[in-house]
């Protein structure tokens, strides 16, 4: 399937849902995936998704409010930031 110009925003996703949901999105051609930091344990979800799919998708964070947030996302393997 070809790449789709869509950013999936996984608001409220849990750690256990992150990889299966992201895998389904990538298989559907959606390769830009955002986990808002106000989701439960968002950094862990980003880390799991980036490890599993980082070679096939861009995994990043939204609702990023501080420089510490940026550093945590980068350390988790996130590749982009969205800030209000």
């Amino acid at each position: 399937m070809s790449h789709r110009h869509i950013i999936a925003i996984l608001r409220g996703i849990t750690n256990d849902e992150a990889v299966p949901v992201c895998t389904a999105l990538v298989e559907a051609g959606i390769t830009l995936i955002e986990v808002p930091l106000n989701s439960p344990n968002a950094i862990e979800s980003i880390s799991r998704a980036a490890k599993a799919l980082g070679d096939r998708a861009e995994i990043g964070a939204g609702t990023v409010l501080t420089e510490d947030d940026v550093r945590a996302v980068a350390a988790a393997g996130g590749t982009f930031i969205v800030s209000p």
Side-chain angles (χ1 to χ4, degrees):
M1 176 150 303
S2 64
H3 171 80
R4 300 193 188 281
H5 298 282
I6 297 171
I7 298 175
I9 301 172
L10 307 183
R11 192 170 314 283
I13 196 158
T14 66
N15 292 335
D16 291 337
E17 296 168 330
V19 172
V21 169
C22 290
T23 300
L25 289 166
V26 170
E27 289 173 356
I30 300 169
T31 59
L32 293 170
I33 303 168
E34 173 193 327
V35 178
L37 290 188
N38 58 1
S39 297
N41 301 306
I43 296 297
E44 180 63 22
S45 292
I46 292 166
S47 177
R48 290 182 187 191
K51 285 178 185 165
L53 298 161
D55 61 334
R56 298 172 52 200
E58 297 291 323
I59 312 294
T63 318
V64 178
L65 303 176
T66 69
E67 291 178 21
D68 286 340
D69 290 344
V70 173
R71 285 188 279 277
V73 170
T79 58
F80 70 89
I81 297 295
V82 179
S83 184

